[in-house]
């Protein structure tokens, strides 16, 4: 269902299982995945920001969040959310 420009809907079976497991133990970080990329040499910060924004536009999972509704957990997908890119120069 589209509402307020965002897609809303029920969770898939796999999402429901993860939601339930997390509700039993919210300290479990098994499904929280972090990663990094070690880039050597100079990069153009503007091109990096554009590339990251493109990945977010193409990857629905990066724009999806979940809420607990009266009829059960729901997923919400923002149509064009692009998170700001934090730039840190360690040099």
């Amino acid at each position: 269902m589209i509402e307020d420009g965002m897609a809303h809907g029920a969770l898939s079976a796999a999402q429901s299982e993860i939601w339930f497991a997390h509700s039993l133990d919210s300290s479990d970080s098994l499904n929280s995945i972090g990663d990094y990329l070690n880039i050597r040499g100079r990069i153009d910060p503007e091109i990096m920001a554009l590339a990251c924004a493109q990945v977010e536009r193409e990857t629905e999972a990066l724009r999806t969040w979940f809420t607990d509704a009266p009829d059960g957990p729901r997923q919400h997908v923002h149509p064009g959310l692009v998170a700001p890119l934090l730039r840190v120069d360690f040099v």
Side-chain angles (χ1 to χ4, degrees), residues 1-33:
M1 167 177 44
I2 302 293
E3 181 181 300
D4 301 327
M6 291 184 275
H8 304 274
L11 276 57
S12 68
Q15 289 171 323
S16 294
E17 291 173 12
I18 293 170
W19 178 272
F20 179 70
H22 184 74
S23 70
L24 294 176
D25 181 7
S26 62
S27 67
D28 182 10
S29 61
L30 181 63
N31 291 297
S32 297
I33 300 171

Side-chain angles (χ1 to χ4, degrees), residues 32-81:
S32 297
I33 300 171
D35 203 357
Y36 72 95
L37 176 64
N38 188 6
I39 301 174
R40 296 174 191 256
R42 298 181 62 84
I43 63 166
D44 183 323
E46 298 306 317
I47 291 175
M48 177 63 84
L50 289 171
C52 289
Q54 184 66 31
V55 168
E56 289 184 58
R57 281 191 296 274
E58 293 178 1
T59 311
E60 190 174 89
L62 296 175
R63 297 177 281 109
T64 303
W65 73 96
F66 304 90
T67 58
D68 197 4
D71 60 340
R74 308 290 288 170
Q75 63 178 313
H76 311 274
V77 182
H78 196 286
L81 181 67

